[in-house]
Amino acid sequence: MLNRIEQDLKESLKQREAGKIRLNVLRLVKAAIKNAEIEKGRSLTDDEIIGVIQKEIKARKEVLPSYEKAGRTEEVAKIQEEIKILESYLPAQLSETELEEIIKVTMGEVGASKPSDMGKLMPAVLAKVKGRADGKVVAELAKKLLAN
């Protein structure tokens, strides 16, 4: 995963991409990965790199509403482009139907049947869908299924 990011970064540098959004995003991600490696004192696994990328996406999604509210359309477009670039490094995302099936199977495995079982269901589901679904979406779907 890191090799792919580094290769894409080199390619972006060679092409001197217009707007340089991709180049900047790749530099920031590489720096975030390097910081995580320093923090852990070792190289990151692909799963950990995916976690770093997800963290970067989440940070951008959190600031998006404030830019939209302020009417800063250029910034909104730039952030959306950054999110799209970052998402291209994540594994294919699960559809809602696939996610629902995984949650239902996991509910049976951990014995979750009521909303108060959310605490034991979520860690098990998130371990299965790591990197392939947003935690917020998983939580909303799990709440809906546990409420039924």
Side-chain angles (χ1 to χ4, degrees):
M1 177 79 74
L2 183 58
N3 289 337
R4 179 176 163 214
I5 293 170
E6 288 173 345
Q7 283 303 112
D8 289 351
L9 182 60
K10 286 178 189 175
E11 201 59 41
S12 291
L13 282 167
K14 286 179 187 175
Q15 293 176 359
R16 300 183 198 277
E17 291 184 43
K20 299 198 180 0
I21 291 176
R22 182 176 178 79
L23 180 62
N24 290 337
V25 169
L26 292 173
R27 281 181 173 156
L28 289 171
V29 167
K30 190 170 181 214
I33 292 169
K34 190 56 112 180
N35 288 339
E37 286 178 340
I38 290 169
E39 194 176 292
K40 292 188 183 287
R42 60 174 172 77
S43 295
L44 299 182
T45 65
D46 281 352
D47 283 344
E48 291 170 325
I49 291 173
I50 288 170
V52 170
I53 293 170
Q54 287 176 320
K55 197 174 181 182
E56 292 293 317
I57 291 171
K58 184 178 179 186
R60 284 164 176 76
K61 284 183 177 180
E62 286 174 355
V63 299
L64 206 53
S66 60
Y67 283 118
E68 288 171 341
K69 191 175 178 182
R72 298 185 61 189
T73 53
E74 279 185 31
E75 276 301 308
V76 169
K78 180 181 171 232
I79 291 171
Q80 288 172 336
E81 179 68 22
E82 290 176 359
I83 290 170
K84 196 165 37 167
I85 291 166
L86 290 168
E87 285 176 340
S88 72
Y89 290 93
L90 295 178
Q93 298 295 293
L94 294 169
S95 69
E96 191 170 322
T97 310
E98 293 169 319
L99 193 54
E100 192 171 313
E101 190 59 38
I102 290 170
I103 293 171
K104 285 178 181 175
V105 168
T106 309
M107 283 170 64
E109 291 172 358
V110 299
S113 59
K114 54 190 180 294
S116 61
D117 293 334
M118 191 78 161
K120 63 181 177 181
L121 176 63
M122 283 303 292
V125 173
L126 290 175
K128 288 182 178 182
V129 300
K130 190 172 231 155
R132 299 182 300 153
D134 184 89
K136 198 173 186 180
V137 174
V138 173
E140 288 171 6
L141 198 52
K143 277 182 194 171
K144 187 175 99 178
L145 291 171
L146 286 171
N148 293 335

